[in-house]
Amino acid sequence: MIIGCHLSVSKGFAAMGRQALEIGANTFQFFTRNPRGGKAKDIDEADVNELKSIMLKNDFKVILAHAPYTLNPCSNDERVREFAFEAMSDDLKRMELLPGNLYNFHPGCHVGQGSERGIQLISEFLNSVLREDMHTTVLLETMAGKGSEIGGRFEELAAIIDGTKLKDKLGVCLDTCHVFDGGYDIVNRLEAVLEEFDRIIGIERLKAIHLNDSMNSLGSRKDRHQKIGQGGIGLEAFERIINNKSLRELPFYLETPNELDGYAEEIRLLKKLRRAV
Ligand code: FE
Ligand code: FE
Ligand code: ZN
C-alpha cells in the first residue's frame, strides 16, 4: 500500500523523507512554495539527492508536489494568470530534479466568467506550461465546486484535458472530501461513481487519491477536511476505498487536520483496514 500525508517542506526535502519513515509512510505530499503564493526557496541539490537515496532505499514509488492555492490559471486578472504561469513553469523545472513524480494543482476559479471560459483558459494555460521533454505528470484535482471553482464535476476536468495538447502529461487526483462535498456519493455508491469517472474522464487518468473525511454532508460544496472516520464519509467507506480494485494500487495522501502523531495513527489505522488481494 502506498500511503503518506502532507508534510512541511520547511526543513528541506531529505527531512520530509525521514519524517515519512517515522510515521510509517512510504510517500508524502508537500507544497512547492508557500501555499498562499510567493517565491520558492532555492533548491539545495545535495538535499534533493539525499531524499532520492532515502526514496530508493525505502522503496518510495512516487511523491506528490502540490501547487500553491493562489495559483489560478483562469482568473479574470491577467497578473494572476501570469503568476500561475510563472509559478508552475518554475515548479515543473524544479521537479526535473526529481523526475517521474506527480504535481497536483487546483484547476482554478472562473470568478464570474463562466465555467466554459474558465475551462478554456485552463487548457490554454496547460498548453503553454506543459513541455514535451518534462518527466512529471501534472494532476488536476477534483474540487468541491465551492463558489466559482472549476473541477467540481468530472465533465469539467474531461473538458480541460480535451483542450490540452500534451495529454500524456496529464492525470487526475481524486480528493475524497471534495468529491463527496461535490455530490458524488462515494459512501453508498463508490462503484457507480468510479464507473462515471471512467466513462467521462477515463480511469487510467486517475493517478493519486487525497484521503480526507468531510466535516459536512454529501453535496454541501464546502471543502472542510475532517479526520479519517470522524466525518460525513466515515471509516467503512474508507475501508472500501483503500481496498477497491481500481484504487488500491494508487498512492493515498492524507490531508486531514492532524499533526505528525495524528497522521501516524491514521496511517496505522488504514494499514489495518487494508486487505490482501
Ligand atoms: Fe489540493
Ligand atoms: Fe486535496
Ligand atoms: Zn480541500
Coordinates of all heavy atoms in Angstrom, one line a residue, residues 94-161:
R94 N 11.9 22.8 -11.4 CA 12.5 22.2 -10.2 C 12.2 20.7 -10.1 O 13.0 19.9 -9.6 CB 12.0 22.9 -9.0 CG 12.3 24.3 -8.9 CD 11.2 25.1 -8.2 NE 11.7 26.2 -7.5 CZ 12.3 26.2 -6.4 NH1 12.4 25.1 -5.7 NH2 12.7 27.3 -5.8
M95 N 11.0 20.3 -10.5 CA 10.6 18.9 -10.4 C 11.5 18.0 -11.2 O 11.5 16.8 -11.0 CB 9.1 18.7 -10.8 CG 8.1 19.3 -9.9 SD 8.0 18.4 -8.3 CE 7.2 16.9 -8.7
E96 N 12.1 18.6 -12.2 CA 13.0 17.8 -13.1 C 14.2 17.2 -12.2 O 14.8 16.3 -12.7 CB 13.5 18.5 -14.3 CG 12.4 18.8 -15.3 CD 11.8 17.5 -15.9 OE1 12.6 16.7 -16.4 OE2 10.6 17.3 -15.8
L97 N 14.4 17.8 -11.1 CA 15.5 17.2 -10.2 C 15.0 15.9 -9.5 O 15.8 15.2 -9.0 CB 15.8 18.3 -9.1 CG 16.6 19.5 -9.5 CD1 16.6 20.5 -8.3 CD2 18.0 19.2 -10.0
L98 N 13.7 15.8 -9.6 CA 13.0 14.5 -9.0 C 12.1 13.9 -10.1 O 10.9 13.9 -10.0 CB 12.2 14.9 -7.8 CG 12.9 15.3 -6.5 CD1 12.0 16.0 -5.5 CD2 13.4 14.0 -5.8
P99 N 12.7 13.4 -11.1 CA 11.9 13.0 -12.3 C 11.0 11.8 -12.0 O 11.3 11.0 -11.1 CB 13.0 12.6 -13.3 CG 14.2 12.4 -12.6 CD 14.2 13.3 -11.4
G100 N 9.9 11.8 -12.7 CA 9.0 10.7 -12.5 C 8.0 10.8 -11.4 O 7.3 9.8 -11.1
N101 N 7.8 12.0 -10.9 CA 6.9 12.1 -9.8 C 5.6 12.9 -10.2 O 5.4 13.2 -11.4 CB 7.5 12.8 -8.6 CG 8.5 11.8 -7.9 OD1 8.0 10.7 -7.4 ND2 9.8 12.0 -8.0
L102 N 4.8 13.3 -9.3 CA 3.5 13.9 -9.6 C 3.4 15.4 -9.1 O 4.0 15.7 -8.1 CB 2.3 13.1 -8.9 CG 2.3 11.6 -9.2 CD1 1.3 10.9 -8.3 CD2 1.9 11.4 -10.7
Y103 N 2.6 16.2 -9.8 CA 2.5 17.6 -9.4 C 1.0 17.9 -9.5 O 0.4 17.8 -10.6 CB 3.3 18.5 -10.4 CG 3.1 20.0 -10.1 CD1 4.0 20.6 -9.2 CD2 2.2 20.7 -10.8 CE1 3.9 22.0 -9.0 CE2 2.1 22.1 -10.5 CZ 3.0 22.7 -9.7 OH 2.9 24.1 -9.4
N104 N 0.4 18.3 -8.4 CA -1.1 18.5 -8.4 C -1.4 19.9 -8.3 O -0.8 20.7 -7.6 CB -1.6 17.7 -7.1 CG -3.0 17.9 -6.8 OD1 -3.9 17.5 -7.5 ND2 -3.3 18.6 -5.7
F105 N -2.5 20.4 -9.0 CA -3.0 21.7 -8.8 C -4.5 21.8 -8.8 O -5.2 20.9 -9.4 CB -2.3 22.7 -9.8 CG -2.9 22.6 -11.2 CD1 -3.7 23.6 -11.7 CD2 -2.7 21.5 -12.1 CE1 -4.3 23.6 -13.0 CE2 -3.2 21.5 -13.3 CZ -4.0 22.5 -13.8
H106 N -5.0 22.9 -8.2 CA -6.5 23.1 -8.3 C -6.7 23.8 -9.6 O -6.1 24.9 -9.9 CB -6.9 24.0 -7.1 CG -6.7 23.4 -5.8 ND1 -7.0 24.0 -4.6 CD2 -6.2 22.1 -5.4 CE1 -6.7 23.2 -3.6 NE2 -6.2 22.1 -4.0
P107 N -7.7 23.3 -10.4 CA -7.9 23.9 -11.7 C -8.1 25.4 -11.7 O -7.6 26.1 -12.6 CB -9.1 23.2 -12.2 CG -9.1 21.9 -11.5 CD -8.5 22.1 -10.2
G108 N -8.8 25.9 -10.7 CA -9.0 27.3 -10.6 C -10.4 27.8 -10.4 O -11.3 27.0 -10.4
C109 N -10.6 29.1 -10.2 CA -11.9 29.7 -10.1 C -12.1 30.7 -11.2 O -11.3 31.5 -11.5 CB -12.0 30.5 -8.8 SG -11.9 29.4 -7.3
H110 N -13.3 30.5 -11.9 CA -13.5 31.4 -13.1 C -14.0 32.8 -12.7 O -14.1 33.7 -13.6 CB -14.5 30.7 -14.0 CG -15.9 30.5 -13.5 ND1 -16.7 31.6 -13.3 CD2 -16.6 29.4 -13.1 CE1 -17.9 31.2 -12.8 NE2 -17.8 29.8 -12.7
V111 N -14.2 33.0 -11.4 CA -14.6 34.3 -10.9 C -15.6 35.1 -11.8 O -15.4 36.3 -12.2 CB -13.4 35.2 -10.5 CG1 -12.8 34.8 -9.2 CG2 -12.3 35.3 -11.6
G112 N -16.7 34.4 -12.1 CA -17.8 35.1 -12.8 C -17.7 35.1 -14.3 O -18.6 35.5 -15.0
Q113 N -16.6 34.5 -14.8 CA -16.5 34.5 -16.3 C -17.3 33.3 -16.9 O -17.4 33.2 -18.1 CB -15.0 34.3 -16.7 CG -14.1 35.4 -16.2 CD -12.7 35.2 -16.6 OE1 -12.2 35.7 -17.6 NE2 -12.0 34.4 -15.8
G114 N -17.7 32.4 -16.0 CA -18.4 31.2 -16.5 C -17.5 30.1 -16.7 O -16.3 30.2 -16.9
S115 N -18.0 28.8 -16.5 CA -17.1 27.7 -16.4 C -16.6 27.4 -17.8 O -15.4 26.9 -17.9 CB -17.8 26.5 -15.8 OG -19.0 26.2 -16.4
E116 N -17.3 27.7 -18.9 CA -16.8 27.4 -20.2 C -15.5 28.2 -20.5 O -14.5 27.7 -21.0 CB -17.9 27.8 -21.2 CG -17.9 26.9 -22.5 CD -19.1 27.2 -23.3 OE1 -20.2 27.1 -22.8 OE2 -18.9 27.5 -24.5
R117 N -15.6 29.5 -20.2 CA -14.4 30.4 -20.4 C -13.3 29.9 -19.4 O -12.1 29.9 -19.8 CB -14.8 31.8 -20.1 CG -13.7 32.8 -20.1 CD -13.1 33.1 -21.4 NE -12.0 34.1 -21.4 CZ -11.0 34.0 -22.2 NH1 -10.9 33.1 -23.1 NH2 -10.0 34.9 -22.1
G118 N -13.6 29.6 -18.2 CA -12.6 29.1 -17.3 C -11.9 27.9 -17.8 O -10.7 27.8 -17.8
I119 N -12.7 26.9 -18.3 CA -12.1 25.7 -18.8 C -11.2 26.0 -20.0 O -10.0 25.4 -20.1 CB -13.2 24.7 -19.3 CG1 -13.9 24.1 -18.0 CG2 -12.7 23.6 -20.2 CD1 -15.2 23.5 -18.2
Q120 N -11.6 26.9 -20.8 CA -10.8 27.3 -22.0 C -9.4 27.9 -21.5 O -8.4 27.6 -22.0 CB -11.6 28.3 -22.8 CG -10.9 28.7 -24.1 CD -11.6 30.0 -24.7 OE1 -12.6 30.5 -24.2 NE2 -11.0 30.5 -25.8
L121 N -9.5 28.8 -20.5 CA -8.3 29.4 -20.0 C -7.3 28.4 -19.4 O -6.1 28.5 -19.5 CB -8.6 30.5 -19.0 CG -9.2 31.8 -19.5 CD1 -9.7 32.7 -18.4 CD2 -8.1 32.6 -20.3
I122 N -7.9 27.4 -18.7 CA -7.1 26.4 -18.0 C -6.4 25.5 -19.1 O -5.2 25.2 -19.0 CB -7.9 25.5 -17.1 CG1 -8.5 26.4 -15.9 CG2 -7.0 24.4 -16.5 CD1 -9.6 25.7 -15.2
S123 N -7.1 25.2 -20.2 CA -6.5 24.4 -21.3 C -5.4 25.2 -21.9 O -4.3 24.7 -22.2 CB -7.5 24.0 -22.3 OG -8.4 23.0 -21.7
E124 N -5.7 26.5 -22.2 CA -4.6 27.3 -22.8 C -3.4 27.4 -21.9 O -2.3 27.4 -22.4 CB -5.2 28.8 -23.0 CG -6.1 28.9 -24.3 CD -6.8 30.2 -24.4 OE1 -6.4 31.2 -23.6 OE2 -7.7 30.3 -25.1
F125 N -3.7 27.6 -20.6 CA -2.6 27.6 -19.6 C -1.7 26.4 -19.7 O -0.5 26.4 -19.8 CB -3.2 27.8 -18.3 CG -2.3 27.5 -17.1 CD1 -1.3 28.4 -16.8 CD2 -2.5 26.4 -16.3 CE1 -0.4 28.1 -15.7 CE2 -1.6 26.1 -15.3 CZ -0.6 27.0 -14.9
L126 N -2.4 25.2 -19.7 CA -1.6 23.9 -19.8 C -0.9 23.8 -21.1 O 0.2 23.3 -21.1 CB -2.6 22.8 -19.6 CG -3.1 22.6 -18.1 CD1 -4.3 21.6 -18.0 CD2 -2.0 22.2 -17.2
N127 N -1.5 24.3 -22.1 CA -0.8 24.3 -23.4 C 0.5 25.1 -23.4 O 1.4 24.9 -24.2 CB -1.7 24.7 -24.6 CG -2.7 23.6 -24.9 OD1 -2.4 22.4 -24.7 ND2 -3.9 23.9 -25.4
S128 N 0.5 26.2 -22.6 CA 1.7 27.0 -22.5 C 2.7 26.5 -21.5 O 3.9 26.7 -21.6 CB 1.4 28.4 -22.3 OG 0.8 28.6 -21.0
V129 N 2.2 25.8 -20.5 CA 3.1 25.4 -19.4 C 3.7 24.0 -19.5 O 4.8 23.7 -19.0 CB 2.4 25.7 -18.0 CG1 1.6 24.5 -17.6 CG2 3.4 26.0 -16.9
L130 N 3.0 23.1 -20.1 CA 3.5 21.7 -20.2 C 4.5 21.6 -21.4 O 4.4 22.3 -22.4 CB 2.3 20.7 -20.5 CG 1.2 20.7 -19.5 CD1 0.1 19.7 -20.0 CD2 1.7 20.3 -18.1
R131 N 5.5 20.8 -21.1 CA 6.6 20.6 -22.2 C 6.7 19.2 -22.5 O 6.7 18.3 -21.6 CB 7.9 21.2 -21.7 CG 7.8 22.7 -21.4 CD 9.1 23.1 -20.6 NE 10.3 22.5 -21.3 CZ 11.1 23.3 -22.1 NH1 10.9 24.6 -22.2 NH2 12.1 22.7 -22.7
E132 N 7.0 18.9 -23.8 CA 7.2 17.6 -24.3 C 8.3 16.8 -23.5 O 8.2 15.6 -23.2 CB 7.6 17.7 -25.7 CG 7.6 16.4 -26.5 CD 6.3 15.8 -26.8 OE1 5.6 16.4 -27.7 OE2 5.9 14.8 -26.2
D133 N 9.3 17.6 -23.1 CA 10.5 16.9 -22.5 C 10.5 16.8 -21.0 O 11.5 16.5 -20.4 CB 11.8 17.6 -23.0 CG 11.8 19.1 -22.5 OD1 10.8 19.6 -21.9 OD2 12.8 19.8 -22.8
M134 N 9.3 17.1 -20.4 CA 9.3 17.0 -18.9 C 9.0 15.6 -18.4 O 8.5 14.8 -19.2 CB 8.3 18.0 -18.3 CG 6.9 17.8 -18.7 SD 5.8 19.1 -18.1 CE 4.7 18.1 -17.1
H135 N 9.4 15.3 -17.2 CA 9.3 14.0 -16.6 C 8.3 13.9 -15.4 O 8.5 13.1 -14.5 CB 10.6 13.4 -16.3 CG 11.6 13.3 -17.4 ND1 12.3 14.4 -17.8 CD2 11.8 12.3 -18.3 CE1 13.0 14.1 -18.9 NE2 12.7 12.8 -19.2
T136 N 7.4 14.9 -15.4 CA 6.4 14.9 -14.3 C 5.0 14.8 -14.8 O 4.8 15.3 -15.9 CB 6.6 16.3 -13.6 OG1 7.9 16.5 -13.1 CG2 5.6 16.5 -12.4
T137 N 4.2 14.1 -14.1 CA 2.7 14.1 -14.5 C 2.0 15.1 -13.7 O 2.1 15.2 -12.5 CB 2.2 12.7 -14.2 OG1 2.9 11.7 -15.0 CG2 0.7 12.6 -14.7
V138 N 1.3 16.0 -14.4 CA 0.6 17.1 -13.8 C -0.9 16.6 -13.5 O -1.6 16.2 -14.5 CB 0.6 18.3 -14.7 CG1 -0.3 19.4 -14.1 CG2 2.0 18.9 -14.8
L139 N -1.3 16.7 -12.3 CA -2.7 16.3 -11.9 C -3.6 17.4 -11.7 O -3.3 18.4 -11.0 CB -2.6 15.4 -10.7 CG -1.6 14.3 -10.6 CD1 -1.7 13.5 -9.3 CD2 -1.7 13.4 -11.8
L140 N -4.8 17.3 -12.2 CA -5.9 18.2 -11.9 C -6.6 17.6 -10.7 O -7.0 16.4 -10.8 CB -6.9 18.2 -13.1 CG -6.4 18.8 -14.4 CD1 -7.1 18.2 -15.6 CD2 -6.5 20.3 -14.5
E141 N -6.9 18.4 -9.7 CA -7.5 17.9 -8.5 C -9.1 18.0 -8.7 O -9.5 19.1 -9.1 CB -7.0 18.6 -7.3 CG -7.7 18.0 -6.0 CD -7.0 18.5 -4.7 OE1 -5.9 19.1 -4.8 OE2 -7.5 18.2 -3.6
T142 N -9.8 17.0 -8.3 CA -11.3 17.1 -8.2 C -11.6 18.1 -7.1 O -11.1 18.0 -6.0 CB -11.9 15.7 -7.9 OG1 -11.4 15.3 -6.7 CG2 -11.6 14.7 -9.0
M143 N -12.5 19.0 -7.3 CA -12.8 20.0 -6.4 C -14.3 19.9 -5.8 O -15.1 19.1 -6.4 CB -12.6 21.4 -7.0 CG -11.2 21.7 -7.5 SD -9.9 21.3 -6.3 CE -10.2 22.6 -5.1
A144 N -14.6 20.6 -4.8 CA -15.9 20.5 -4.2 C -16.9 21.3 -4.9 O -18.1 21.2 -4.7 CB -15.8 21.0 -2.7
G145 N -16.5 22.2 -5.8 CA -17.4 23.1 -6.6 C -17.9 24.2 -5.8 O -19.0 24.8 -6.0
K146 N -17.1 24.7 -4.8 CA -17.4 25.8 -4.0 C -17.3 27.1 -4.8 O -16.3 27.3 -5.6 CB -16.3 25.8 -2.9 CG -16.6 26.8 -1.7 CD -15.5 26.5 -0.6 CE -14.1 26.7 -1.1 NZ -13.1 26.5 0.0
G147 N -18.2 28.0 -4.7 CA -18.1 29.3 -5.4 C -18.0 29.1 -6.9 O -18.8 28.3 -7.5
S148 N -17.0 29.7 -7.5 CA -16.9 29.6 -9.0 C -15.8 28.6 -9.3 O -15.2 28.6 -10.4 CB -16.6 30.9 -9.6 OG -15.3 31.4 -9.3
E149 N -15.5 27.7 -8.4 CA -14.4 26.6 -8.6 C -14.7 25.7 -9.8 O -15.8 25.2 -9.9 CB -14.4 25.8 -7.3 CG -13.1 25.5 -6.7 CD -13.3 24.9 -5.3 OE1 -14.1 24.0 -5.1 OE2 -12.6 25.3 -4.4
I150 N -13.7 25.5 -10.6 CA -13.8 24.6 -11.7 C -13.3 23.2 -11.2 O -12.3 23.2 -10.5 CB -13.0 25.1 -12.9 CG1 -13.5 26.5 -13.3 CG2 -13.1 24.1 -14.1 CD1 -14.0 26.7 -14.6
G151 N -13.9 22.2 -11.7 CA -13.4 20.8 -11.3 C -14.3 20.1 -10.3 O -13.9 19.1 -9.8
G152 N -15.5 20.7 -10.0 CA -16.4 20.0 -9.1 C -17.2 18.9 -9.9 O -17.9 18.1 -9.2
R153 N -17.2 19.0 -11.2 CA -17.8 17.9 -12.0 C -16.7 17.2 -12.8 O -15.8 17.9 -13.4 CB -18.9 18.5 -12.9 CG -19.9 19.3 -12.3 CD -20.8 18.5 -11.3 NE -21.4 17.3 -12.0 CZ -21.9 16.3 -11.3 NH1 -22.0 16.4 -10.0 NH2 -22.4 15.3 -11.9
F154 N -16.9 15.9 -13.0 CA -15.9 15.2 -13.8 C -15.9 15.7 -15.3 O -14.9 15.8 -15.9 CB -16.3 13.7 -13.9 CG -16.2 13.0 -12.5 CD1 -16.9 11.8 -12.3 CD2 -15.4 13.5 -11.5 CE1 -16.8 11.2 -11.1 CE2 -15.3 12.9 -10.2 CZ -16.0 11.7 -10.0
E155 N -17.1 16.2 -15.7 CA -17.2 16.7 -17.1 C -16.2 17.9 -17.3 O -15.7 18.1 -18.4 CB -18.6 17.2 -17.4 CG -19.6 16.1 -17.7 CD -20.2 15.5 -16.4 OE1 -19.7 15.8 -15.3 OE2 -21.0 14.6 -16.5
E156 N -16.1 18.7 -16.3 CA -15.2 19.9 -16.4 C -13.7 19.5 -16.5 O -13.0 20.0 -17.4 CB -15.4 20.8 -15.2 CG -16.8 21.4 -15.1 CD -17.0 22.3 -13.9 OE1 -16.3 22.0 -12.9 OE2 -17.9 23.1 -13.9
L157 N -13.3 18.5 -15.8 CA -11.9 18.0 -15.9 C -11.7 17.4 -17.2 O -10.7 17.6 -17.9 CB -11.6 17.0 -14.7 CG -11.8 17.6 -13.3 CD1 -11.5 16.5 -12.3 CD2 -10.8 18.7 -13.1
A158 N -12.7 16.6 -17.7 CA -12.6 16.0 -19.0 C -12.4 17.0 -20.1 O -11.6 16.9 -21.0 CB -13.8 15.1 -19.3
A159 N -13.2 18.1 -20.0 CA -13.1 19.2 -21.0 C -11.8 19.9 -21.0 O -11.2 20.3 -22.0 CB -14.3 20.2 -20.8
I160 N -11.2 20.1 -19.8 CA -9.8 20.7 -19.7 C -8.8 19.8 -20.4 O -8.0 20.2 -21.2 CB -9.4 20.9 -18.2 CG1 -10.3 21.9 -17.5 CG2 -8.0 21.3 -18.1 CD1 -10.2 22.0 -16.0
I161 N -8.9 18.5 -20.1 CA -8.0 17.5 -20.7 C -8.2 17.5 -22.2 O -7.2 17.5 -23.0 CB -8.2 16.1 -20.1 CG1 -7.8 16.1 -18.6 CG2 -7.3 15.1 -20.9 CD1 -8.2 14.9 -17.9

